[in-house]
Amino acid sequence: MTSTAVDFAAIKDKQRSGWETGDYPRVGNTLQIIAELLAEAADVRADQKVLDVACGQGNAALAAARRFAEATGVDYAANLLEQGRERAVAEHLPVTFLEGDAEQLPVPDASFDRVLSTVGVMFAPDHQQAADELVRVTAPGGRIALASWTPTGMVGQMFKTVSKWAPPPAGVQPATLWGTEEHLAELFGDRVEWVTLTKRDFVFRYRSAEHFSEWFRQFYGPITKLAGALSDADRVQFAADLADVPRAFNDNTDHTLAAHAEYLEAVGIKH
């Protein structure tokens, strides 16, 4: 597949509209622990220049700033950036937030010691271009650290459920391929040496599977937008389908939900 065969610009416009629907940080803020673990795995140090790509509301940028790094977050959704700025002010953390595309980052070559992304860059439709940008902006000897949902984990299964209601654009590779060692090797080749590739679980904790479904339909932008476009009858069925996903990964034996979602934590050194 060549990038010229797909209208990535149109796809990104539609994606941006999805992320700007609902209130994604109501979901994204619960994932903060992923960013903290990633910052530790990447060995983020004081005074390093750290870039959080497809930062959303700034989880990894804030994690870097807590470690006294010079943190910058980039995302194309203006509303998410604004919430990132509000969080940084509330936590008294100096973070710069820039509006920009993960496939065309608005920063110079080799300008960051650490380049992070927590379940963010994986959604860029042109995987190769996004990977090339991560390499471009990382200084030689610097580290690229990614946290990406796996295809077989809970979130991967949720995306499969969503795709039954809204098929993905033709020619675009699944985002969860970023959660596989094979895909990272294909995207980065010998430009990056992956020093740790660790499968971790994030636990989605909600009142119930139904509560999870309701929360995601209300706040997770792309799902919010999809649910709003369905008929009343289809919306009911979609809600049930969405609740079935975490139920299959739930450890709790009472009415509450603790659904384990696998992701790949990958840390590599740029040659």
Side-chain angles (χ1 to χ4, degrees), residues 213-248:
S213 173
E214 177 187 6
W215 199 260
F216 270 67
R217 285 180 288 115
Q218 186 172 359
F219 298 121
Y220 190 91
I223 290 178
T224 305
K225 190 166 187 178
L226 167 59
L230 298 175
S231 67
D232 290 345
D234 282 348
R235 197 174 299 122
V236 170
Q237 184 59 57
F238 178 58
D241 289 352
L242 206 55
D244 283 342
V245 176
R247 190 177 288 118

Side-chain angles (χ1 to χ4, degrees), residues 69-84:
E70 185 180 326
T72 300
V74 174
D75 201 281
Y76 61 11
N79 61 322
L80 304 187
L81 292 172
E82 187 56 36
Q83 290 209 35

Side-chain angles (χ1 to χ4, degrees), residues 193-228:
E193 177 187 355
W194 298 104
V195 292
T196 61
L197 291 160
T198 307
K199 287 186 177 178
R200 296 188 182 275
D201 274 357
F202 172 79
V203 182
F204 284 90
R205 298 184 182 275
Y206 286 78
R207 296 189 179 100
S208 64
E210 290 75 18
H211 179 224
F212 172 94
S213 173
E214 177 187 6
W215 199 260
F216 270 67
R217 285 180 288 115
Q218 186 172 359
F219 298 121
Y220 190 91
I223 290 178
T224 305
K225 190 166 187 178
L226 167 59

Side-chain angles (χ1 to χ4, degrees), residues 53-54 102 116-125 127 130-131 134 146 148 178:
V53 178
L116 315 180
S117 188
T118 57
V119 297
V121 73
M122 64 182 291
F123 292 105
H127 293 199
L134 296 180
L146 311 170
S148 309
W178 283 79

Side-chain angles (χ1 to χ4, degrees), residues 98-152:
L98 303 174
E99 187 169 343
D101 183 348
E103 296 174 10
Q104 194 173 0
L105 292 168
V107 296
D109 295 356
S111 52
F112 289 90
D113 304 296
R114 299 289 186 268
V115 175
L116 315 180
S117 188
T118 57
V119 297
V121 73
M122 64 182 291
F123 292 105
D126 189 338
H127 293 199
Q128 190 61 65
Q129 178 62 26
D132 292 348
E133 279 293 274
L134 296 180
V135 172
R136 179 183 69 80
V137 303
T138 305
R143 299 194 177 199
I144 295 172
L146 311 170
S148 309
W149 303 118
T150 65
T152 56

